[in-house]
Amino acid sequence: MQNPQALAALQDRLDSVSHTLSTIESLPKLVKRRVNALKQLQVRCAHIEAKFYEEVHELERKYAALYQPLFDKPVTTLPMLSLTRQDVVSGTVEPTDEECEWHSDREEEEELSEELKKKAAIEEKKEESVPEEEPKGIPEFWLTIFRSVDMLSDLLQEHDEPILKHLQDIKVKFSDPDQPMSFTLEFHFEPNNFFKNTVLTKVYKMKSEPDPADPFSFEGPEIVDCEGCEIDWNKGKDVTVKTIKKKQKHKGRGTVRTITKQVPNDSFFNFFNPIKVSSDGELDEDSEFTLATDFEIGHFFRERIVPRAVLYFTGEALEDDESFEEEELEEGEEEVRHGYTHAHCHTNVYGYTHRNGQTHGHCCTCDHT
C-alpha cells in the first residue's frame, strides 16, 4: 500500500481502535461486567443468524429445483413451455415461431421503414439462391460468454477456445438436505478429441456456523474448501502443461544435450485442479490470493452466469453490471484487492466469505461479487 492518503486513513483507524479499547478499559468494573453480558447475547445472536442462513440455503435449493426444468430437463410442470435452454443451445429442438417471439425495447429496430424492409426481402431472396449450411443451435454459446465476462476471459487462453466450443451446458447442483452445505458446478461437454470426460465438476464446500475462537466475525456462510476433478486427457491434448526443450552441458566432457520436460501451462482448465487447503488452514500470500479468487469465480458462476446465461451472451447483463456506478470512496479509503473485501461494502447479505474473513458475494450497498 503506497498511497499516503490510504496509509493516513489506516493510521486513523488504528488510533480509533486504540482509543475505543482504552475507553472500554476505563469503564467501572460493574459496567465492564455488563458489557460482557451483552457479548454473551451477541454470541447467541450469531448462532441464530447461522440457522437463518441454513434455512436460506434450503430455500435456495428448493427454488433451484424449480428453475432447473427451464435449463436442462423436460418441462412437465410448466405446460406452456416445450423446450429448455439446453435444447436451444445444442440444437436438439428447434423452437416454434411462438417461442421465438420477442418484442424489442429498441424502437429503431421495431419501426423499420418500408424501404429497408424491401431491401431486406431482396437480400433474402439472393441468399436463398445460394444454399448455405444452417448452423445448429447457438454456436459457441458458452465460449462467447467466457470471452465477454472479464472474470472469465482473464482465465481463458487461446488454446482453451477450441475445447470450450464443445461445452454444451453448465449446471449448479446443491447438496442434499442431509448432507453438509455445498454446491457443485457441472460443465457438460459433447464428445470431443481433447478428453474422454463428458462432465467436469467443481465442488465448493461451505459452512454456516460462528468460529468458537472469534464468533463476532460471523457474517454468513463461507466457502471453506473446493475440490476439482481429474481430466482424462487424450494423448498430446493436455493444455494445462507444455513441453519445453532445455540444453544441458556436461561439466566434464563439455558435450551438450537437449532434453524435453513438461511444465505447467496457463489454462482455464486449471480451474479443475485447485489449491488444497491444509488441515491447519495455513496458506502463503500467493496461495491465499489464488484460492480466494477461485471462490469468487465459483460464486459468480453460481449466482450470475448459470441463471442469466442468455443475458451474458447478448451482453445485456454486462450493460446492467456497468450501469451500477461505483460509489465514490471517502478520502483515504480504497478498494482492498488483496483482502478481497470492498471498502464500500458494509453489510454482507447471503454472500459467501473466505474462512479468513475475505468476503465473496453480494452486499446490500453495491452488488459486487
Side-chain angles (χ1 to χ4, degrees), residues 246-272:
K246 200 173 183 180
K247 290 185 177 181
Q248 289 184 339
K249 186 176 182 179
H250 193 280
K251 290 181 179 179
R253 295 191 295 270
T255 56
V256 177
R257 65 173 183 174
T258 301
I259 62 168
T260 59
K261 60 184 291 190
Q262 285 192 329
V263 295
N265 193 27
D266 290 338
S267 167
F268 162 72
F269 291 91
N270 289 320
F271 179 72
F272 299 98

Side-chain angles (χ1 to χ4, degrees), residues 100-161:
C100 292
E101 212 172 283
W102 184 258
H103 299 289
S104 172
D105 292 333
R106 299 173 182 174
E107 289 186 14
E108 65 270 18
E109 292 180 0
E110 294 180 354
E111 299 177 359
L112 289 172
S113 67
E114 287 301 318
E115 186 179 348
L116 288 176
K117 287 182 180 179
K118 288 177 183 178
K119 287 183 178 180
I122 294 170
E123 290 299 322
E124 282 182 10
K125 287 182 180 179
K126 287 181 179 179
E127 288 178 4
E128 287 174 4
S129 62
V130 183
E132 292 183 4
E133 185 180 349
E134 291 189 0
K136 184 180 179 183
I138 303 179
E140 301 183 12
F141 179 79
W142 293 102
L143 176 57
T144 300
I145 294 172
F146 271 70
R147 288 170 176 159
S148 303
V149 178
D150 289 344
M151 186 181 292
L152 303 183
S153 64
D154 288 345
L155 303 177
L156 190 63
Q157 305 297 320
E158 187 176 348
H159 47 254
D160 294 327
E161 296 197 9

Side-chain angles (χ1 to χ4, degrees), residues 16-274:
S16 177
V17 170
S18 177
H19 176 70
T20 302
L21 291 174
S22 63
T23 301
I24 296 296
E25 289 301 317
S26 66
L27 292 173
K29 187 175 181 180
L30 278 175
V31 176
K32 284 196 285 187
R33 184 172 176 272
R34 292 162 192 155
V35 170
N36 289 338
L38 292 180
K39 286 185 176 181
Q40 288 282 7
L41 293 174
Q42 192 62 45
V43 171
R44 290 167 64 182
C45 285
H47 284 281
I48 293 173
E49 187 181 7
K51 292 296 181 185
F52 163 78
Y53 282 119
E54 287 177 6
E55 292 194 22
V56 169
H57 182 72
E58 287 304 308
L59 192 63
E60 187 178 33
R61 190 180 61 81
K62 172 187 172 182
Y63 276 87
L66 298 178
Y67 290 134
Q68 204 61 38
L70 302 174
F71 298 150
D72 63 7
K73 292 181 181 176
V75 181
T76 55
T77 57
L78 300 173
M80 295 299 291
L81 299 174
S82 60
L83 80 167
T84 68
R85 182 172 73 189
Q86 188 177 15
D87 289 336
V88 178
V89 171
S90 64
T92 54
V93 175
E94 185 62 34
T96 64
D97 290 344
E98 185 179 356
E99 289 166 335
C100 292
E101 212 172 283
W102 184 258
H103 299 289
S104 172
D105 292 333
R106 299 173 182 174
E107 289 186 14
E108 65 270 18
E109 292 180 0
E110 294 180 354
E111 299 177 359
L112 289 172
S113 67
E114 287 301 318
E115 186 179 348
L116 288 176
K117 287 182 180 179
K118 288 177 183 178
K119 287 183 178 180
I122 294 170
E123 290 299 322
E124 282 182 10
K125 287 182 180 179
K126 287 181 179 179
E127 288 178 4
E128 287 174 4
S129 62
V130 183
E132 292 183 4
E133 185 180 349
E134 291 189 0
K136 184 180 179 183
I138 303 179
E140 301 183 12
F141 179 79
W142 293 102
L143 176 57
T144 300
I145 294 172
F146 271 70
R147 288 170 176 159
S148 303
V149 178
D150 289 344
M151 186 181 292
L152 303 183
S153 64
D154 288 345
L155 303 177
L156 190 63
Q157 305 297 320
E158 187 176 348
H159 47 254
D160 294 327
E161 296 197 9
I163 308 175
L164 288 171
K165 288 180 180 180
H166 298 283
L167 179 59
Q168 292 187 311
D169 201 7
I170 304 176
K171 304 178 185 180
V172 179
K173 302 290 185 182
F174 291 89
S175 53
D176 293 332
D178 57 342
Q179 298 294 318
M181 190 185 290
S182 69
F183 67 91
T184 302
L185 299 176
E186 294 182 352
F187 295 74
H188 291 252
F189 289 82
E190 65 184 355
N192 60 81
N193 63 347
F194 295 96
F195 46 70
K196 297 179 176 64
N197 314 61
T198 56
V199 182
L200 301 181
T201 60
K202 184 77 169 284
V203 181
Y204 288 89
K205 301 177 181 179
M206 299 178 289
K207 73 170 187 177
S208 180
E209 58 185 46
D211 184 349
D214 187 15
F216 304 130
S217 66
F218 181 74
E219 293 183 343
E222 57 181 354
I223 297 176
V224 294
D225 197 6
C226 58
E227 288 182 3
C229 67
E230 184 176 347
I231 302 177
D232 189 6
W233 294 99
N234 290 329
K235 187 176 180 181
K237 298 294 185 178
D238 187 351
V239 295
T240 65
V241 295
K242 61 183 177 182
T243 302
I244 61 170
K245 292 182 178 181
K246 200 173 183 180
K247 290 185 177 181
Q248 289 184 339
K249 186 176 182 179
H250 193 280
K251 290 181 179 179
R253 295 191 295 270
T255 56
V256 177
R257 65 173 183 174
T258 301
I259 62 168
T260 59
K261 60 184 291 190
Q262 285 192 329
V263 295
N265 193 27
D266 290 338
S267 167
F268 162 72
F269 291 91
N270 289 320
F271 179 72
F272 299 98
N273 184 27

